[in-house]
Amino acid sequence: MATLLMSIMIGLLLLGFPMMIPLITAAVVGFVMMFDGFGQMGTFIQQMMGGIRPASLIAVPMFILAADIMTRGHSADRLINMVMAFIGHIKGGLAISTATSCTLFGAVSGSTQATVVAVGSPLRPKMLRAGYSDPFTLALIINASDIAFLIPPSIGMIIYGVISETSIAELFIAGIGPGLLILVMFSLYCLYYAHKNEVPTEPRASWRERGVAVRQALWPLFFPVIIVGGIYGGIFSPTEAAAVCVLYAFLLEFVVFRSLKLPDIYRIAKSTGLITAVVFILVAVGNGFSWILSFAQVPQTILESVGVNEAGPVGVLIAICVAFFIACMFVDPIVVILVLTPIFAPAIQSTGLDPVLVGVLITLQVAIGSATPPFGCDIFTAIAIFKRPYMEVIRGTPPFIFMLVAAAGLIIAFPDIALYFRDLAFAD
């Protein structure tokens, strides 16, 4: 049955249907096969509704709303200007500033695609004028934006936490170490690229200019403080942090910066509503699809056929990384998390793996897949935003994909990269 359902999904995807249609069709076909018709469809609908019932999912639309407000406002520009003021003048500084800005905005938005738009739009022209090639520039923007999937808040981590019943607060804190590791790796590569290609440096900002840039960026910098500090300090939960972020973003852009006006609320709310609807439809149907797979014991069959259950903890982690990496090259990341996480759940439990470590690795693989050909979602976001052909967008991605895969290997070899901050924050 699993082969048939996957064939249906792949076939409909190749025909150009949006991801929710193949997922719904495969789920309904699987249900009809198991229960000989539509007579018990109410059970399937209950499973779907159960997928969007957890209170933790309330954080998703709120983080999307906060990111939309900040993307349309001045927060992104102020963060970029601050980073440029301090490191823009060193060799490769503009590229490093781009990667750092993606990390900072990721700590504000939690969305890779929002980061591509907010950071890539102003910095790509500057990098091209400075002498960086367009393939390198596009690849840097796309892959550095993936750090937003790891640095809290992370929508991917929220979805994984709900599906696996893992603490979202612990997942958020655990994503900080891997996110910073990838930023360092990307920065070193930017230094190498700039020296190899003799990219000229930018003018050095004066200390007065740096002071002005810091003062202008202080308000946006409070977003990660609110999220991480509030959760770490036990002041509020991740869901409550999302609500506070929406209020803070609204006050910042509408009252303090006055970058937006009341008529903008309609456009922002409409955009957030459309994105949220797509996400929640995928979550609901994905939960029903996962229930069908579990009911038919598909996960146990797959894991036994490939020998994952006997592979040991490291073998299971490697299998998870490979499966999620390949799947996210073709399918929407949220769907991959919804479908594959329950499949690997028995192996994770039997080997005693820390679900937080597994969640970080899954989130990293989802981030890699989002920027990996042929169908990584961030690739098509860049194509739409920057109006560049597909081959040009993906030409510079191999070095970055290699670094991201290397980061996954380091996390498997040294789990404390992900778990140190978690253990520090949640020590008894």
Side-chain angles (χ1 to χ4, degrees), residues 81-281:
N81 292 337
M82 183 194 70
V83 175
M84 283 290 298
F86 282 90
I87 60 178
H89 63 280
I90 66 175
K91 198 73 169 178
L94 184 56
I96 297 172
S97 297
T98 301
T100 306
S101 298
C102 287
T103 303
L104 284 177
F105 193 76
V108 170
S109 70
S111 167
T112 60
Q113 291 163 297
T115 305
V116 170
V117 176
V119 178
S121 297
L123 283 183
R124 176 174 169 265
K126 292 183 180 180
M127 291 188 65
L128 295 179
R129 288 195 298 269
Y132 292 93
S133 71
D134 207 13
F136 171 84
T137 301
L138 291 169
L140 174 64
I141 292 169
I142 292 170
N143 287 276
S145 297
D146 290 340
I147 301 175
F149 238 73
L150 289 165
I151 296 288
S154 166
I155 293 173
M157 286 184 173
I158 295 173
I159 301 298
Y160 169 81
V162 170
I163 295 299
S164 64
E165 299 182 350
T166 303
S167 168
I168 296 173
E170 292 188 28
L171 287 166
F172 277 5
I173 301 300
I176 295 175
L180 295 177
L181 170 65
I182 294 169
L183 174 60
V184 171
M185 296 172 75
F186 282 5
S187 298
L188 292 174
Y189 179 67
C190 290
L191 285 171
Y192 165 76
Y193 180 93
H195 281 281
K196 179 183 177 182
N197 294 276
E198 298 182 354
V199 178
T201 59
E202 296 288 302
R204 181 190 293 268
S206 66
W207 282 105
R208 182 178 178 278
E209 291 172 329
R210 292 175 180 176
V212 171
V214 170
R215 285 197 300 273
Q216 291 179 340
L218 276 178
W219 289 109
L221 284 173
F222 272 105
F223 278 101
V225 173
I226 290 171
I227 297 167
V228 178
I231 295 172
Y232 176 85
I235 301 173
F236 38 63
S237 68
T239 303
E240 293 165 342
V244 174
C245 280
V246 171
L247 176 62
Y248 188 72
F250 183 88
L251 293 175
L252 204 59
E253 300 296 350
F254 282 89
V255 179
V256 179
F257 296 159
R258 297 183 181 178
S259 58
L260 300 174
K261 300 185 182 299
L262 289 179
D264 294 318
I265 295 177
Y266 171 77
R267 290 191 294 273
I268 293 171
K270 181 180 178 181
S271 172
T272 300
L274 289 172
I275 297 172
T276 301
V278 172
V279 171
F280 272 58
I281 289 172

Side-chain angles (χ1 to χ4, degrees), residues 5 48 64 78 111 146 163 168 173 178 201 236 252 261 278 289 298 323 325-326 373 400 407 420 423 426:
L5 299 185
M48 290 176 57
I64 293 173
R78 290 172 180 247
S111 167
D146 290 340
I163 295 299
I168 296 173
I173 301 300
T201 59
F236 38 63
L252 204 59
K261 300 185 182 299
V278 172
F289 188 70
V298 171
F325 175 77
I326 295 175
F400 294 98
Y420 175 77
D423 294 340
F426 294 93

Side-chain angles (χ1 to χ4, degrees), residues 357-371:
L357 175 63
V358 174
V360 170
L361 282 169
I362 286 176
T363 305
L364 175 55
Q365 297 309 313
V366 166
I368 299 172
S370 299

